[in-house]
Amino acid sequence: MQAVKTMPYSEKYAIVLDKIKPNDVLISPFIQKHLGEQALVELQKIWKEGVKPVPEDASDEEKYEIAYGNLMWRAKSNLKFIRKHLGEDGIEQYKFAQVEELKRKNSGPALLMFGLLRAIAPRTAFTMIAREMAYKLQWLTPFSFVELTKTKALFNIPRCKVIGFPDMEEVCIVDCQAAYPMWVTEQFKIGLKFDRRGDSCKVVLTL
């Protein structure tokens, strides 16, 4: 078992808020382009139906939990809306749009430095990314860091926090199992696979 520094709830909350922002940057133009302004207004109404306010005096843990629930509501609402109005083709287009947005958001000097390190010492670069992922994954769901070698990292998720919310099946399939592995492979040149069994999941990162 690999040790992982615990992420504080204040950081988890900040990450969730940061995830909501690109959700707006991505989904709003996508809906406007494919369905028009009125459709976007309709989707925004759906968001408001399930989004809960975050009290300013709440603890960091409470703020994180409320914001996390809001993010899950918006994520499933987006996919349901796209499937209803654009079908499977729309879902595929949105998946690729997510990948491009992730690449755009995560580009910069740090990625350039990682690319140089990967060219010189690919196994060192892989270990660095695996440890970074182990830390960052904490905002998403509880897990254990089971194994780390120079070419493989294994994470065990006994009960996925995402799937714990109602009607999250398509979010799991489109976002977690499709868009994110595509992004990791394209931007970092490493493999990412989710092996789900009910509410549990094994996540494998490979060089």
Side-chain angles (χ1 to χ4, degrees), residues 15-31 40-54 65-83 91 94 98 139 162 165-168 170-172 174-175:
I15 290 175
V16 171
L17 292 183
D18 190 55
K19 296 293 181 183
I20 291 174
K21 290 176 184 176
N23 187 268
D24 281 338
V25 171
L26 172 62
I27 187 65
S28 296
F30 183 89
I31 294 299
L40 177 58
V41 172
E42 183 182 342
L43 177 58
Q44 289 171 338
K45 288 180 180 178
I46 295 172
W47 289 345
K48 290 178 181 179
E49 290 172 3
V51 169
K52 298 177 181 178
V54 180
E65 293 293 349
I66 295 170
Y68 188 97
N70 291 342
L71 179 63
M72 296 300 105
W73 168 260
R74 289 172 62 122
K76 72 179 179 183
S77 297
N78 293 344
L79 291 178
K80 284 183 177 180
F81 193 84
I82 291 170
R83 181 168 291 285
I91 293 291
Y94 184 63
Q98 284 190 81
W139 81 266
V162 174
F165 286 80
D167 304 321
M168 294 299 288
E170 188 150 44
V171 173
C172 172
V174 176
D175 295 357

Side-chain angles (χ1 to χ4, degrees), residues 26-37 39-40 86 93 97:
L26 172 62
I27 187 65
S28 296
F30 183 89
I31 294 299
Q32 285 178 318
K33 176 182 177 181
H34 294 280
L35 294 170
E37 185 67 32
L40 177 58
L86 296 171
Q93 290 184 58

